[in-house]
Amino acid sequence: LGLPAGVAQMMATLMPVQHRPRIISPEGVRRLLQAREKGQQQVPQYGRLDVASEAPEVLSFCLTGIPLDNSGAASAALAGLQLLPLCDGTLTTFVPFGAKTQHQQVFLADETEQLLLSTLGSLRVDCLHLSDEAVSTLLKLAQLGATNLALLTPQALASHVLPKLLPKPA
């Protein structure tokens, strides 16, 4: 089908051969994963994505064609997808900005910020295995502020990062 290996492996696991579509689009994969995350019936449960190999390929594929404007379409297209690789080796879910959820804000950090915040892997997106295109799209998404993905600004540092770094008052 001409799919990245991680996407092809995920689709092979998710769908029996007789139910696989002939054309697999990024939008179709996003909808399938969103239905799975919502627990809709008739969607097989896929095991955990391999963070180092499958997740970056599936994320890169799903980011293809995402509208990068202020319409809210990007957050709707990505909402509920557990595809963001974090530096602590886990995946987190895209959440529309302002949604009441247990998912915290996560940050795209440059090399210097990565070094400074090395102990906070659960707050930093791991871009190491992502394509340059995927990182560029994530950067644009973070700039839009439509999801829980954000840039590490002074305000974000003060409100989200420093409380995790500083000792708790006795």
Side-chain angles (χ1 to χ4, degrees):
L1 293 173
L3 295 172
V7 177
Q9 177 61 37
M10 181 199 65
M11 292 303 289
T13 305
L14 266 178
M15 304 185 86
V17 174
Q18 66 270 24
H19 293 115
R20 273 186 224 144
R22 293 185 141 198
I23 298 173
I24 299 174
S25 68
E27 181 181 0
V29 171
R30 289 191 301 264
R31 279 190 275 134
L32 179 67
L33 291 173
Q34 285 167 331
R36 181 189 140 254
E37 292 298 326
K38 290 179 183 175
Q40 294 178 354
Q41 291 185 354
Q42 299 177 347
V43 178
Q45 290 300 305
Y46 180 62
R48 298 180 64 85
L49 286 172
D50 180 61
V51 176
S53 62
E54 289 176 356
E57 287 184 351
V58 174
L59 175 61
S60 294
F61 187 73
C62 286
L63 288 173
T64 305
I66 292 289
L68 297 171
D69 55 29
N70 289 324
S71 69
S75 70
L78 295 170
L81 297 182
Q82 187 177 357
L83 290 175
L84 269 175
L86 300 178
C87 290
D88 68 355
T90 62
L91 294 172
T92 196
T93 304
F94 281 98
V95 179
F97 182 76
K100 300 287 185 210
T101 178
Q102 79 277 8
H103 296 285
Q104 61 189 354
Q105 202 165 27
V106 293
F107 301 96
L108 280 175
D110 64 27
E111 288 182 46
T112 304
E113 293 164 342
Q114 293 277 1
L115 291 171
L116 289 171
L117 303 174
S118 61
T119 60
L120 296 176
S122 65
L123 292 180
R124 295 178 293 119
V125 175
D126 183 1
C127 296
L128 183 64
H129 302 289
L130 298 176
S131 68
D132 290 342
E133 270 185 59
V135 173
S136 176
T137 301
L138 291 175
L139 180 62
K140 290 173 187 169
L141 284 168
Q143 290 168 338
L144 281 175
T147 68
N148 56 325
L149 179 62
L151 298 176
L152 195 57
T153 63
Q155 181 182 6
L157 186 64
S159 63
H160 294 286
V161 177
L162 285 179
K164 295 190 182 299
L165 288 173
L166 298 174
K168 304 252 188 262

